[in-house]
Amino acid sequence: MFESQYPDYPWKDVELSIFQAFKELFTAACSKPAPKGVANSPQSRAIYAIDLMLQWDTDEAGHRYMQPMLLEVNYGPDCERACKYHPHFFNDIFSTLFLEDTENKNVTLL
């Protein structure tokens, strides 16, 4: 549906910019030691929810693009909708987080 509404803006490109924003967010969050930042712990795992909007912007050359705008990050999010649309949601998440098994899972490694 996205590409039928915005044929000049492939979703895969928009999605890559969203994932890049996520990567930058967590890199920044881990760049300082606790309590200013998120401390590194090899035994630690977490699920976050991120609210975002896409904003139209223009680059230096005058080309329009969609810029992800991060609105909110939640630790321990409500996963009811994710489970409704992806019945294997928790199986995929836990396999990824605890078993490092991403094969045939609905996950994207950043």
Side-chain angles (χ1 to χ4, degrees):
M1 175 161 48
F2 180 88
E3 291 188 2
S4 66
Q5 293 175 337
Y6 303 102
D8 295 332
Y9 303 93
W11 174 249
K12 65 180 176 71
D13 295 341
V14 176
E15 186 178 53
L16 282 174
S17 69
I18 292 169
F19 290 157
Q20 182 61 33
F22 291 171
K23 196 172 181 179
E24 290 172 13
L25 167 76
F26 287 108
T27 298
C30 295
S31 67
K32 302 277 185 191
K36 284 186 175 182
V38 177
N40 181 31
S41 174
Q43 295 112 348
S44 178
R45 305 291 185 269
I47 299 174
Y48 295 92
I50 300 174
D51 294 340
L52 66 90
M53 293 178 72
L54 296 172
Q55 174 179 306
W56 286 108
D57 208 346
T58 307
D59 65 15
E60 299 83 22
H63 300 108
R64 288 183 59 174
Y65 67 97
M66 291 184 188
Q67 174 70 41
M69 304 298 291
L70 302 181
L71 304 175
E72 181 178 53
V73 179
N74 294 302
Y75 173 79
D78 176 5
C79 298
E80 184 176 345
R81 187 180 309 171
C83 291
K84 179 179 178 183
Y85 292 105
H86 303 282
H88 300 283
F89 175 76
F90 277 116
N91 287 337
D92 289 353
I93 293 298
F94 288 128
S95 292
T96 301
L97 291 176
F98 296 103
L99 303 176
E100 298 182 12
D101 175 17
T102 59
E103 193 168 328
N104 299 318
K105 305 289 186 277
N106 190 23
V107 297
T108 300
L109 296 178
L110 301 179

Short mmCIF file of all heavy atoms in Angstrom, two decimals, residues 47 77-94 106:
data_model
loop_
_atom_site.label_atom_id
_atom_site.label_comp_id
_atom_site.label_asym_id
_atom_site.label_seq_id
_atom_site.Cartn_x
_atom_site.Cartn_y
_atom_site.Cartn_z
N ILE A 47 13.33 -5.77 25.14
CA ILE A 47 12.46 -5.45 24.02
C ILE A 47 12.03 -3.99 24.19
O ILE A 47 11.58 -3.60 25.26
CB ILE A 47 11.21 -6.36 23.99
CG1 ILE A 47 11.60 -7.82 23.83
CG2 ILE A 47 10.28 -5.95 22.86
CD1 ILE A 47 10.43 -8.78 23.94
N PRO A 77 7.33 -2.97 26.16
CA PRO A 77 6.11 -2.48 25.52
C PRO A 77 4.96 -3.48 25.55
O PRO A 77 5.16 -4.68 25.77
CB PRO A 77 6.56 -2.24 24.08
CG PRO A 77 7.63 -3.26 23.87
CD PRO A 77 8.36 -3.34 25.19
N ASP A 78 3.78 -2.98 25.29
CA ASP A 78 2.58 -3.80 25.12
C ASP A 78 2.70 -4.48 23.75
O ASP A 78 2.80 -3.81 22.73
CB ASP A 78 1.34 -2.92 25.16
CG ASP A 78 0.05 -3.70 24.90
OD1 ASP A 78 0.11 -4.93 24.77
OD2 ASP A 78 -1.00 -3.04 24.82
N CYS A 79 2.74 -5.79 23.72
CA CYS A 79 2.97 -6.54 22.48
C CYS A 79 1.70 -7.19 21.93
O CYS A 79 1.76 -8.04 21.05
CB CYS A 79 4.03 -7.61 22.71
SG CYS A 79 5.63 -6.92 23.18
N GLU A 80 0.54 -6.78 22.43
CA GLU A 80 -0.72 -7.41 22.01
C GLU A 80 -0.93 -7.31 20.50
O GLU A 80 -1.28 -8.29 19.85
CB GLU A 80 -1.89 -6.76 22.75
CG GLU A 80 -3.22 -7.43 22.43
CD GLU A 80 -4.38 -6.85 23.23
OE1 GLU A 80 -4.14 -6.14 24.21
OE2 GLU A 80 -5.53 -7.13 22.85
N ARG A 81 -0.73 -6.12 19.92
CA ARG A 81 -0.95 -5.95 18.48
C ARG A 81 0.06 -6.76 17.69
O ARG A 81 -0.27 -7.36 16.67
CB ARG A 81 -0.87 -4.48 18.10
CG ARG A 81 -1.26 -4.27 16.64
CD ARG A 81 -1.21 -2.84 16.21
NE ARG A 81 -1.95 -1.99 17.12
CZ ARG A 81 -1.93 -0.68 17.07
NH1 ARG A 81 -1.19 -0.07 16.17
NH2 ARG A 81 -2.62 0.04 17.92
N ALA A 82 1.31 -6.78 18.15
CA ALA A 82 2.34 -7.56 17.44
C ALA A 82 1.95 -9.04 17.40
O ALA A 82 2.09 -9.69 16.37
CB ALA A 82 3.69 -7.39 18.12
N CYS A 83 1.43 -9.55 18.51
CA CYS A 83 1.01 -10.96 18.56
C CYS A 83 -0.21 -11.21 17.69
O CYS A 83 -0.35 -12.28 17.10
CB CYS A 83 0.71 -11.36 20.00
SG CYS A 83 2.17 -11.42 21.03
N LYS A 84 -1.08 -10.22 17.59
CA LYS A 84 -2.28 -10.36 16.77
C LYS A 84 -1.91 -10.52 15.29
O LYS A 84 -2.47 -11.36 14.59
CB LYS A 84 -3.19 -9.15 16.96
CG LYS A 84 -4.44 -9.18 16.13
CD LYS A 84 -5.30 -7.94 16.40
CE LYS A 84 -6.53 -7.94 15.52
NZ LYS A 84 -7.33 -6.72 15.71
N TYR A 85 -0.97 -9.70 14.82
CA TYR A 85 -0.60 -9.72 13.40
C TYR A 85 0.53 -10.69 13.08
O TYR A 85 0.70 -11.08 11.93
CB TYR A 85 -0.23 -8.32 12.93
CG TYR A 85 -1.41 -7.39 12.93
CD1 TYR A 85 -1.56 -6.43 13.91
CD2 TYR A 85 -2.40 -7.51 11.96
CE1 TYR A 85 -2.67 -5.59 13.92
CE2 TYR A 85 -3.51 -6.68 11.97
CZ TYR A 85 -3.64 -5.71 12.95
OH TYR A 85 -4.74 -4.89 12.96
N HIS A 86 1.29 -11.07 14.09
CA HIS A 86 2.40 -12.02 13.92
C HIS A 86 2.30 -13.05 15.03
O HIS A 86 2.91 -12.89 16.09
CB HIS A 86 3.76 -11.30 13.98
CG HIS A 86 3.90 -10.21 12.97
ND1 HIS A 86 4.17 -10.47 11.65
CD2 HIS A 86 3.80 -8.86 13.08
CE1 HIS A 86 4.23 -9.32 10.99
NE2 HIS A 86 4.01 -8.34 11.84
N PRO A 87 1.54 -14.13 14.80
CA PRO A 87 1.30 -15.11 15.87
C PRO A 87 2.56 -15.72 16.47
O PRO A 87 2.55 -16.17 17.60
CB PRO A 87 0.46 -16.19 15.18
CG PRO A 87 -0.15 -15.51 14.00
CD PRO A 87 0.82 -14.44 13.59
N HIS A 88 3.67 -15.70 15.74
CA HIS A 88 4.93 -16.27 16.25
C HIS A 88 5.85 -15.18 16.82
O HIS A 88 7.05 -15.41 16.99
CB HIS A 88 5.64 -17.05 15.15
CG HIS A 88 4.84 -18.18 14.62
ND1 HIS A 88 4.70 -19.36 15.31
CD2 HIS A 88 4.10 -18.30 13.49
CE1 HIS A 88 3.91 -20.17 14.62
NE2 HIS A 88 3.53 -19.55 13.52
N PHE A 89 5.30 -14.03 17.13
CA PHE A 89 6.08 -12.88 17.57
C PHE A 89 7.02 -13.24 18.72
O PHE A 89 8.23 -13.05 18.63
CB PHE A 89 5.15 -11.73 17.99
CG PHE A 89 5.86 -10.55 18.55
CD1 PHE A 89 6.54 -9.67 17.73
CD2 PHE A 89 5.85 -10.30 19.91
CE1 PHE A 89 7.20 -8.56 18.25
CE2 PHE A 89 6.50 -9.20 20.45
CZ PHE A 89 7.18 -8.34 19.61
N PHE A 90 6.49 -13.75 19.82
CA PHE A 90 7.34 -14.03 20.97
C PHE A 90 8.32 -15.17 20.70
O PHE A 90 9.46 -15.13 21.17
CB PHE A 90 6.51 -14.31 22.23
CG PHE A 90 6.08 -13.05 22.92
CD1 PHE A 90 4.74 -12.73 23.03
CD2 PHE A 90 7.00 -12.17 23.46
CE1 PHE A 90 4.33 -11.57 23.65
CE2 PHE A 90 6.62 -11.00 24.09
CZ PHE A 90 5.27 -10.70 24.19
N ASN A 91 7.92 -16.17 19.93
CA ASN A 91 8.86 -17.24 19.57
C ASN A 91 10.04 -16.66 18.79
O ASN A 91 11.19 -17.00 19.04
CB ASN A 91 8.17 -18.32 18.74
CG ASN A 91 7.25 -19.17 19.56
OD1 ASN A 91 7.39 -19.28 20.77
ND2 ASN A 91 6.27 -19.78 18.92
N ASP A 92 9.74 -15.77 17.84
CA ASP A 92 10.80 -15.16 17.04
C ASP A 92 11.70 -14.27 17.91
O ASP A 92 12.93 -14.32 17.80
CB ASP A 92 10.21 -14.33 15.90
CG ASP A 92 9.58 -15.18 14.81
OD1 ASP A 92 9.72 -16.42 14.86
OD2 ASP A 92 8.95 -14.61 13.91
N ILE A 93 11.09 -13.47 18.77
CA ILE A 93 11.85 -12.56 19.62
C ILE A 93 12.76 -13.34 20.57
O ILE A 93 13.96 -13.07 20.69
CB ILE A 93 10.91 -11.63 20.42
CG1 ILE A 93 10.18 -10.68 19.48
CG2 ILE A 93 11.67 -10.87 21.50
CD1 ILE A 93 11.05 -9.74 18.71
N PHE A 94 12.19 -14.32 21.28
CA PHE A 94 13.00 -15.06 22.25
C PHE A 94 14.06 -15.92 21.57
O PHE A 94 15.17 -16.06 22.10
CB PHE A 94 12.12 -15.90 23.17
CG PHE A 94 11.36 -15.07 24.17
CD1 PHE A 94 9.99 -15.20 24.31
CD2 PHE A 94 12.00 -14.13 24.96
CE1 PHE A 94 9.29 -14.43 25.22
CE2 PHE A 94 11.32 -13.35 25.87
CZ PHE A 94 9.96 -13.50 26.00
N ASN A 106 10.96 -13.44 11.75
CA ASN A 106 10.50 -12.12 11.29
C ASN A 106 11.23 -11.03 12.08
O ASN A 106 10.63 -10.27 12.83
CB ASN A 106 8.99 -12.01 11.45
CG ASN A 106 8.44 -10.78 10.77
OD1 ASN A 106 9.03 -10.25 9.86
ND2 ASN A 106 7.30 -10.32 11.23
#
